[in-house]
Structures are given as C-alpha cells and as structure tokens.
Amino acid sequence: MNYVTEPSRQIPVVAETDVLVVGGGPAGFGAALYAARTGSKVMLIEQYGAIGGVATSGIMSHWTGRQEGGCFAELREKARDCESEQVINPEKLRILMLDMLYKAGVDVQLYTAFSDVIMDGNRVAGVITESKSGREAITCKMLIDSTGDGDVAARAGAPFEKGRDDGGMQPMTIMFKVAGVDMDRAMFFWGMEDTVQLPEGDLQTLGREKLPKPAGHILLYPSSIPGVVTINMTNAIDMDGTNVRDLNHAEYICRNQIPEIIEFLQRNVPGYEGCYLIDSADVIGVRETRRFEAQYQLNEDDISQARVFDDWVVTKSNFFFDLHNVEGAGLDAIAEYKTFKQPEPYTIPLRCFIPRKIEGLLLNGRNISGTHKAHSSYRVMPIVMNMGHAMGIVASMCVAQNKKPLELDIDEIHEQLRRTNVTL
C-alpha cells in the first residue's frame, strides 16, 4: 500500500464543553438530553442532518422490544401519533427530538463527522471533527460514545470484539415504504416466523424461494400514514459496518433488492397488488459491529434470568434474542423468538459502560460490553435510549464531582435515576 504524509497543522478548538456526546441516534439523544437536564454544559455532534439515527434517517417502522420508564417513556408519550404506541412517524420524530434537545440547552451540531480522538495519556480529552467548516477540535471533561460502532472508543485504543466467535455479524438492511396498499385486505408480518397459507403455498417459504438472496423473509408493518406500509426485507450479509467499502457494497445490494421485493409483494400478498415505492432510508441499518471490553460483560443468562445488578443503571428492559441469520434470510439458529420466556424485565449494570484501559469515556448503545447473543436483545432503540439516559446522568455527575464513574456513589446515581422515572 502506498502512503502520503499529511503535513502538521494547528487545529482550532471551536468548543469546550463538560459533556460531549458523539452520535445523535436514540442512545446519543438520551445521553445529551439527560446530561443537560442534570446540569452540565453539553454538546452533541452528529454526522447526518437529523437526530434519531435509525428511528428517523433509517425510517424505522416501530419501537422494538419493551422498555418502561425514563427517556423512552417520555419520548413515546410526546410522539404519540396513532392508535399504536409502537408505530414511528420518522418525520415528526425528527422535529420533536431536535426540539427537546434545544429546549434542554444542548449545543447540537449536525453535519459534523467524528475524525479522531484527542488523548491526554489514557484519558479522552476531546475529538477532532470534519465538516463544511473544516477540521476542528472540541474538548470535553467527559465523552459519551454513542456512535453505535464505538468509533471513538476504538480510536482511543479500547479493546473490543465483533460478532460471534468466527467474526460473523448480523446482516444489514435498508428500510423502505410503499404506498397504494389496500389496508382493508393488507396483511402485516411482525416476525420472521409469522406467516399465512396462500393458494401458492406458505408465504415465508415462498419468500425463501422467490426473493433475491440473501433476502427471503417477509416483514411488513403498518405506518402512521393511511395506505402506507413500512418494509424490512432487504438483506446484506458478510459485511462489516466499520469498513466503508462494505457499507457501500451493502447499500448497492439492498437497494437493488427493493424492486424485486415490491414485485414479489404485488404478485403474492393480498392488498399489495397496487403498491409502489415512495421512500427509503437515508442510511443503511447496521445491527452489529464492535462490542467493547468493560468492567463487566452482560451475557444471555443475565437477560433470560432477569438478573438485578447492585449497580443497575438501566431497568425494565424486555426483548427476546433477535439474532438475524448471519448467513442469509430469517433468524439465526440460536435466536429465540416465540419460545423465549423471560420471567421479568432485565437490568444492565454501570460496569458494562466503562471501557477497560481508557478514562474520561463512557460506552453507550449497542457498543457496550455484552456477548453476541446478549447484544441481540439490548441493541434495540428503546433500550439504548434509556442507556443514554443513564449515561447522561453519570457523565454529568462525574463532571460535577470531579470523579471517575466507578468512584461515584451508586446510591446517589440510583436516586438521580429514580427522580427521572427510572425504577426497579
């Protein structure tokens, strides 16, 4: 490989803040909102032009899983748009989430990409960004990595793993919407094992046979707009979301599948005979990349047994093990859908958010420490939003008390969480 040498230059420090949140998806939104509400000076940077991540730019259909209390409960109540609490209206959500951050006093900077990390020994002291304004620096006292992929933590040198033992990661997807659906006759399929018998055969089996591989499952969700259905059926496997060339290839694969998927629906699914494409996600949905080593690794037994940790910071989380097939359509062999029986909602401890070897940094979202299978449950948007809620409070307390996260009084953290509707 050939190299070029980048000349040394001075980079202007354009902002100094208490808490810096990198990434404005659901996890970053919760973190910035509650760090500001807890009294810190907060800045959030986001590479795209919207807050909300997959929920908005990714036009996600609905809130997956169950999460009670905290930031998610507040947002869901304010965003209530139709009869179902689960359905998302991405355009209204874009407006609402940005407005909530501004009203909380968060300094939001969109169209700003994270480029590099500023280190003071083993402590994160800020970041270098790239934008239309050029290469700039932002310094902070605490940083919350809400990038999903853990880009900041990786640049800082925090150890991580990807996917299952052989490195295989869950497929990527581009969500899209069709209009012209006869809603009186339309069928909806919320899970990959949900199906119906048609004259031509079982619908999910028909999908495996006729859809362009590695697509092959049918997932159709009602939207908040009459006659419009959100579709989660594109599929790209053997891709790494931390590799830009894989991201580009996955984008091509998924977009090329959309016309054939629509044709399949028109021919095979009642109510969809006249459907047509009206929208698709601005960003590809990446389910799984880096999971970092931390003070504790959440595992599948913690989830299935609903373990209550002494240092809980996220509570009342409930979702099955939603492992999409690494090798093609449908669910992975070790996924649990209709067979999953969880006695109580689970908790997530503070230790999962504190990376090894690096200080001044909190993990947040699907990049926290967990096993491949556990990750498939906690990675969903409602749960990661409440992760952000907790990390915003923890980061703000670290700044106010000039302490590291594990030096904080866990009872005081719990009291702050209870005051903001996070309870056991």
Side-chain angles (χ1 to χ4, degrees):
M1 180 181 290
N2 294 326
Y3 295 89
V4 298
T5 300
E6 185 175 6
S8 176
R9 56 175 166 167
Q10 289 187 318
I11 300 173
V13 177
V14 295
E16 299 176 359
T17 191
D18 292 337
V19 177
L20 175 62
V21 179
V22 181
F29 165 76
L33 186 68
Y34 276 87
R37 288 180 176 177
T38 311
S40 287
K41 180 181 178 182
V42 181
M43 186 171 187
L44 180 151
I45 63 171
E46 162 59 39
Q47 63 182 329
Y48 300 116
I51 297 297
V54 171
T56 54
S57 299
I59 63 170
M60 184 60 187
S61 52
H62 63 289
W63 302 111
T64 305
R66 296 191 300 278
Q67 176 65 70
E68 296 181 32
C71 184
F72 175 66
E74 177 187 354
L75 182 70
R76 183 175 57 183
E77 180 62 31
K78 290 182 177 180
R80 193 182 298 275
D81 189 67
C82 58
E83 293 182 3
S84 170
E85 290 184 344
Q86 283 189 286
V87 175
I88 295 172
N89 184 320
E91 296 308 314
K92 289 187 177 181
L93 202 60
R94 285 176 186 249
I95 299 168
L96 174 61
M97 295 176 82
L98 186 60
D99 185 58
M100 289 174 68
L101 291 176
Y102 268 80
K103 286 179 177 176
V106 178
D107 183 0
V108 179
Q109 187 167 307
L110 305 174
Y111 303 105
T112 302
F114 163 75
S115 179
D116 207 349
V117 66
I118 301 169
M119 300 295 295
D120 179 8
N122 70 337
R123 184 181 72 85
V124 172
V127 299
I128 306 296
T129 66
E130 291 281 359
S131 69
K132 291 289 187 180
S133 296
R135 195 166 172 85
E136 299 175 328
I138 301 168
T139 61
C140 62
K141 297 175 183 176
M142 285 293 296
L143 191 146
I144 304 176
D145 186 341
S146 309
T147 60
D149 299 316
D151 293 332
V152 181
R155 287 291 180 91
F160 61 86
E161 60 185 356
K162 295 181 186 177
R164 58 189 189 184
D165 291 343
D166 63 1
M169 288 174 275
Q170 295 187 65
M172 300 184 196
T173 296
I174 290 177
M175 303 288 290
F176 66 96
K177 293 185 178 185
V178 295
V181 179
D182 181 349
M183 301 301 279
D184 292 331
R185 298 170 51 244
M187 296 179 175
F188 302 104
F189 300 91
W190 294 81
M192 295 181 188
E193 297 178 2
D194 297 343
T195 191
V196 65
Q197 290 293 328
L198 298 174
E200 298 82 2
D202 170 78
L203 182 59
Q204 292 288 358
T205 301
L206 287 174
R208 299 292 196 278
E209 294 172 351
K210 296 184 177 182
L211 286 167
K213 291 180 172 49
H217 53 255
I218 290 88
L219 292 172
L220 304 169
Y221 310 112
S223 78
S224 56
I225 303 171
V228 174
V229 172
T230 306
I231 298 175
N232 181 359
M233 291 171 57
T234 66
N235 216 37
I237 62 172
D238 297 325
M239 300 290 169
D240 183 344
T242 67
N243 183 314
V244 69
R245 280 156 283 280
D246 279 5
L247 285 169
N248 277 269
H249 189 42
E251 182 91 12
Y252 175 76
I253 289 172
C254 288
R255 293 208 180 276
N256 258 16
Q257 292 171 356
I258 291 175
E260 292 186 65
I261 291 171
I262 293 174
E263 184 177 343
F264 172 86
L265 296 175
Q266 291 168 337
R267 289 182 176 178
N268 295 282
V269 185
Y272 292 80
E273 294 88 351
C275 72
Y276 54 92
L277 180 67
I278 60 164
D279 195 14
S280 62
D282 296 330
V283 297
I284 194 163
V286 178
R287 292 182 174 89
E288 179 180 23
T289 52
R290 302 183 183 103
R291 304 187 314 279
F292 286 83
E293 293 182 18
Q295 304 303 313
Y296 183 79
Q297 184 183 58
L298 194 72
N299 63 62
E300 47 269 37
D301 290 336
D302 296 329
I303 292 173
S304 61
Q305 296 170 16
R307 183 175 175 189
V308 178
F309 293 90
D310 292 339
D311 61 334
W312 58 265
V313 288
V314 180
T315 65
K316 297 183 178 178
S317 302
N318 197 316
F319 194 45
F320 65 93
F321 297 110
D322 187 28
L323 273 167
H324 291 233
N325 186 2
V326 171
E327 299 169 358
L331 292 173
D332 188 89
I334 64 170
E336 297 178 43
Y337 173 44
K338 292 183 178 179
T339 61
F340 181 65
K341 305 297 182 185
Q342 186 180 21
E344 299 289 342
Y346 63 88
T347 69
I348 305 176
L350 174 60
R351 287 165 292 158
C352 289
F353 298 82
I354 303 171
R356 293 189 181 276
K357 302 182 179 180
I358 305 298
E359 296 182 358
L361 176 68
L362 290 169
L363 305 168
N364 185 33
R366 61 179 170 85
N367 60 32
I368 70 167
S369 184
T371 63
H372 171 65
K373 187 170 182 178
H375 165 275
S376 72
S377 176
Y378 66 69
R379 67 178 173 82
V380 294
M381 295 187 298
I383 296 175
V384 303
M385 190 177 295
N386 276 18
M387 289 184 192
H389 178 149
M391 290 307 99
I393 288 175
V394 169
S396 187
M397 289 176 64
C398 287
V399 171
Q401 299 180 26
N402 193 26
K403 291 180 178 180
K404 300 174 184 178
L406 290 179
E407 295 173 345
L408 296 174
D409 184 337
I410 192 63
D411 290 334
E412 187 177 347
I413 295 174
H414 288 166
E415 180 58 29
Q416 290 276 15
L417 288 167
R418 289 189 183 100
R419 289 175 185 171
T420 54
N421 194 29
V422 177
T423 60
L424 285 174

